[in-house]
Amino acid sequence: MLEKMEILDVEKVIKEFEAMTKDAENVQRETLKKILEENGSAEYLQNLGLNGRTDPESFKACVPLVTHNDLEPFIQRIADGPSAPILTRKLITNISLSSGTTQGKPKFVPFNDELMETTLRIFRTSYAFRNREFPINNGKALQFIYSSKPSRTKGGLFAGTATTNVFRNSLFKNAMRGMQSQCCSPDEVIFAPDFHQSLYCHLLCGLISREEIQLVSSTFAHSIVHAFRTFEQVWEELCADIRDGVLTSRITFPSVRSAMAKMLKPNPELADLIHRKCSGLSNWYGLIPELFPNVKYIYGIMTGSMEPYLKKLRHYAGDVPLVSADYGSSEGWIGANVNPKVPAESTTYAVLPNIGYFEFIPLKEDAEEQVQDKVGASFISMEPKPVGLTEVKVGEEYEVIVTSVAGLYRYRLGDVVKVMGFHNSTPELKFICRRNLMLTVNIDKNTENDLQLAVEEAAKLISEEKLEVIDFSSHVDLWTDPGHYVIFWEISGEVSDQVLKECCNCLDRSFVDAGYVSSRKVNAIGPLELRVLRSGTFQNILDHYLGLGAAVSQFKTPRCVGPTNQKVLQILCGNVVKSYFSTAF
């Protein structure tokens, strides 16, 4: 009876979501009121002159738009201690570390029980819509989830990645049980100190429970692709472990070995079956359904910087649907995927109006450019005023502003989104790019999305030779005169110089931004450079971030490497095996 009571009532969740999104404007007012009433006595808000007012108009008049740099001194004080109500009335007990792949170092972000509750609200909402389309029974999930190295701040607060803060929270496990999505791996594997050992054991746990696995997931698509690329290298060793019932010596942590010993029993029949399945595959196509015959879908964030991995993920997935996970960041959540049947790269996110207070700065090119003429790179003084959640317009692009339950007020998230439509009265957003991740030499503006499109176009030339771009990054080299774009590729095999020269020209032509094209034609921007990397370079970059305490669950390959990210630039430049300059212009 208790088991039945734990199962999430998906129809009830959907009904509540529909009612709330029909009244999004009022729900937003109430959400802001609740946040301000709860935290009005905190030092930060006390100093802004709200004097107990909780209406949106007073809030916008008194509270400035801020970036992480503005709040960093307050967050640092929270981290350093002693405990005090600085950003929130209730004391912050945990600090989340952002992935650090954008700026080269992780940011500190407050994490509290209220933020955990909004996390579960998002999870339950998207699960309810997902389960209506792809119902799962009481099976298991192969979840490639990992913990970062736990640490303490100077003031004694627990510091870990946002995903670690979620996974180690007791509410997470209960929620997964309610959503019939329990991880097939024991905690010792999830929280193992070494990512490589953790990944190997996740794969082994999945194979042992292969008939029960109903979904395969990770935070990001990159982690799932990485897991099955690893499987290609270690599958025979996994089969040997299953056949003999003895764990490989590569797993060295006693707690992990002990936990795996409870699961691992000699099973030559299963080992032979997996061996037959793998030997019968053509270039690993359809690997996931072959290994896990009852898998219903594959789940993880698949939009934005994850889109380049979808081609490889579809190769492994065969006919199994890919479903993109929800939209959020270390700072908090924004929207849920309530249309799980759409292709992963077309996913939109319906904003939940009760998990935070949201504003949106309209991004109008002409307004920005006028300001740039006068004051260089600062857009803030003449930016359009932010609009509310229900005031956004379909087809327009905006920068997202978040007021969260964890002490961030009118916080510029730095994400650019496009409004694709409305679910009742709440907008459905498509993630476009990070606003500050941009290739620019002078008047050109190419986003991460533009880079991705260029790489996809040029990669078609090597796909004809049955090869692929494993991963890519970029850099603006301003040491040359004129400055030029540098694109880094790691390729799955040897490609002729002739084809790579064509790839280089194709990349250069594929940046269609008017400022770029006109600058290239008059040589105000130099020829694009394609640098081909040694095999394993992006694994080195991943290892670098793991060494800094990042978790694989949260890792995103840095797409535009700026001057502040010296170590990553050093790894990229130190692993170049070939270099080509464009002759396209």
Side-chain angles (χ1 to χ4, degrees):
M1 185 65 190
L2 184 64
E3 282 295 309
K4 280 188 178 175
M5 284 174 65
E6 281 187 351
I7 303 301
L8 189 70
D9 184 342
V10 296
E11 290 309 319
K12 183 184 174 194
V13 172
I14 291 173
K15 192 175 174 184
E16 287 171 356
F17 176 78
E18 295 294 350
M20 175 178 62
T21 54
K22 282 174 183 167
D23 194 24
E25 186 178 356
N26 283 327
V27 173
Q28 276 282 274
R29 290 185 82 92
E30 285 303 309
T31 302
L32 178 63
K33 183 182 176 187
K34 188 177 173 186
I35 291 171
L36 295 179
E37 283 178 347
E38 175 64 36
N39 300 304
S41 60
E43 175 194 318
Y44 180 79
L45 290 176
Q46 281 277 305
N47 291 338
L48 294 173
L50 273 168
N51 300 324
R53 289 172 293 172
T54 61
D55 60 286
E57 295 73 26
S58 300
F59 176 65
K60 291 174 188 176
C62 295
V63 179
L65 295 174
V66 293
T67 63
H68 189 272
N69 285 346
D70 299 316
L71 293 185
E72 197 165 17
F74 297 95
I75 299 171
Q76 195 63 53
R77 281 174 55 207
I78 292 168
D80 290 347
S83 296
I86 295 170
L87 290 173
T88 55
R89 182 182 64 83
K90 283 189 199 168
L91 302 180
I92 297 288
T93 54
N94 287 15
I95 291 288
S96 287
L97 304 171
S98 70
S99 64
T101 48
T102 304
Q103 300 298 338
K105 60 175 186 174
K107 295 181 300 198
F108 276 16
V109 180
F111 185 94
N112 59 7
D113 291 343
E114 288 75 14
L115 198 58
M116 184 67 201
E117 183 46 50
T118 65
T119 301
L120 297 181
R121 215 171 285 164
I122 282 271
F123 285 5
R124 290 185 191 112
T125 301
S126 58
Y127 170 79
F129 282 92
R130 215 162 53 242
N131 211 52
R132 201 157 67 169
E133 301 292 352
F134 308 108
I136 58 175
N137 304 316
N138 206 7
K140 290 181 180 176
L142 172 54
Q143 293 180 309
F144 296 104
I145 55 180
Y146 312 91
S147 167
S148 60
K149 292 174 187 170
S151 61
R152 295 269 174 191
T153 67
K154 186 178 168 186
L157 277 63
F158 180 91
T161 58
T163 46
T164 301
N165 280 328
V166 170
F167 299 151
R168 65 192 286 273
N169 192 299
S170 59
L171 296 174
F172 174 73
K173 257 193 179 167
N174 294 337
M176 290 300 106
R177 272 197 291 272
M179 293 185 264
Q180 305 175 81
S181 308
Q182 273 183 281
C183 183
C184 65
S185 305
D187 281 357
E188 290 84 354
V189 169
I190 296 168
F191 295 100
D194 181 87
F195 151 69
H196 302 284
Q197 295 188 32
S198 183
L199 169 53
Y200 184 91
C201 291
H202 275 315
L203 290 167
L204 188 55
C205 292
L207 293 174
I208 292 167
S209 307
R210 70 182 290 268
E211 296 283 346
E212 297 171 83
I213 300 298
Q214 299 212 9
L215 71 133
V216 174
S217 73
S218 190
T219 310
F220 290 122
H222 170 269
S223 298
I224 307 174
V225 169
H226 187 273
F228 288 104
R229 281 194 197 278
T230 303
F231 180 86
E232 290 184 35
Q233 309 301 319
V234 301
W235 69 277
E236 289 174 301
E237 195 174 348
L238 288 161
C239 285
D241 289 0
I242 293 168
R243 178 173 285 107
D244 301 335
V246 178
L247 188 62
T248 173
S249 59
R250 73 160 69 206
I251 309 303
T252 57
F253 292 100
S255 61
V256 180
R257 291 195 70 85
S258 173
M260 291 303 298
K262 292 172 187 169
M263 296 182 67
L264 197 55
K265 302 288 181 280
N267 192 338
E269 294 83 5
L270 177 58
D272 289 342
L273 175 67
I274 293 165
H275 201 283
R276 270 200 315 277
K277 296 271 185 196
C278 292
S279 302
L281 289 172
S282 171
N283 198 25
W284 301 101
Y285 177 81
L287 171 62
I288 293 173
E290 281 296 319
L291 294 179
F292 312 108
N294 296 311
V295 70
K296 301 291 199 307
Y297 56 88
I298 295 161
Y299 187 63
I301 294 170
M302 298 182 187
T303 53
S305 60
M306 294 299 121
E307 283 184 36
Y309 305 107
L310 293 186
K311 185 179 177 185
K312 188 66 176 178
L313 190 52
R314 285 200 171 99
H315 182 82
Y316 287 135
D319 295 331
V320 179
L322 304 186
V323 181
S324 187
D326 308 306
Y327 173 31
S329 64
S330 299
E331 290 87 348
W333 291 94
I334 295 160
N337 178 4
V338 298
N339 301 300
K341 277 202 159 177
V342 304
E345 50 271 86
S346 304
T347 302
T348 57
Y349 304 98
V351 180
L352 269 66
N354 66 341
I355 61 171
Y357 184 72
F358 301 101
E359 300 169 72
F360 299 85
I361 299 176
L363 294 182
K364 293 193 168 58
E365 285 287 323
D366 53 350
E368 284 190 1
E369 280 165 13
Q370 285 168 17
V371 180
Q372 194 172 23
D373 286 345
K374 293 177 183 175
V375 290
S378 175
F379 302 144
I380 295 170
S381 59
M382 283 179 62
E383 274 181 328
K385 282 186 179 176
V387 298
L389 181 70
T390 58
E391 299 169 323
V392 295
K393 294 176 181 171
V394 174
E396 297 289 321
E397 291 187 3
Y398 299 88
E399 183 187 346
V400 183
I401 309 295
V402 176
T403 295
S404 79
V405 293
L408 304 180
Y409 307 100
R410 305 198 79 199
Y411 180 92
R412 300 179 76 133
L413 202 56
D415 286 357
V416 176
V417 297
K418 186 173 186 176
V419 179
M420 305 304 287
F422 280 84
H423 187 103
N424 297 321
S425 64
T426 199
E428 293 193 327
L429 309 176
K430 179 175 174 60
F431 178 86
I432 300 297
C433 62
R434 295 282 295 159
R435 194 174 182 186
N436 61 344
L437 282 188
M438 200 172 278
L439 290 167
T440 178
V441 174
N442 46 52
I443 61 167
D444 51 311
K445 290 180 187 174
N446 280 300
T447 65
E448 183 180 355
N449 193 48
D450 297 321
L451 169 65
Q452 181 186 313
L453 293 171
V455 169
E456 282 174 6
E457 193 59 36
K460 289 175 185 174
L461 297 170
I462 65 166
S463 67
E464 292 166 12
E465 301 188 21
K466 300 285 186 285
L467 294 171
E468 61 183 326
V469 175
I470 290 173
D471 220 331
F472 64 93
S473 190
S474 67
H475 169 63
V476 171
D477 187 348
L478 296 175
W479 290 101
T480 58
D481 186 20
H484 70 287
Y485 291 9
V486 179
I487 312 296
F488 299 95
W489 275 12
E490 185 178 325
I491 305 173
S492 60
E494 285 294 318
V495 186
S496 70
D497 285 345
Q498 186 55 43
V499 171
L500 286 168
K501 284 174 186 171
E502 287 172 28
C503 289
C504 186
N505 287 345
C506 182
L507 283 166
D508 206 1
R509 283 193 301 268
S510 296
F511 287 106
V512 293
D513 165 67
Y516 182 77
V517 175
S518 59
S519 296
R520 281 290 289 114
K521 283 179 177 173
V522 297
N523 203 34
I525 296 176
L528 180 142
E529 183 181 1
L530 172 60
R531 296 183 188 175
V532 179
L533 301 169
R534 194 172 281 112
S535 177
T537 300
F538 284 97
Q539 178 64 50
N540 292 346
I541 291 171
L542 171 58
D543 290 340
H544 161 66
Y545 281 106
L546 295 180
L548 295 177
V552 175
S553 313
Q554 215 164 305
F555 177 75
K556 300 188 286 285
T557 298
R559 293 286 180 228
C560 303
V561 181
T564 58
N565 212 340
Q566 275 301 317
K567 181 61 183 172
V568 170
L569 204 51
Q570 200 178 324
I571 294 170
L572 289 168
C573 294
N575 282 281
V576 175
V577 290
K578 287 180 180 177
S579 180
Y580 303 88
F581 282 93
S582 166
T583 54
F585 288 89

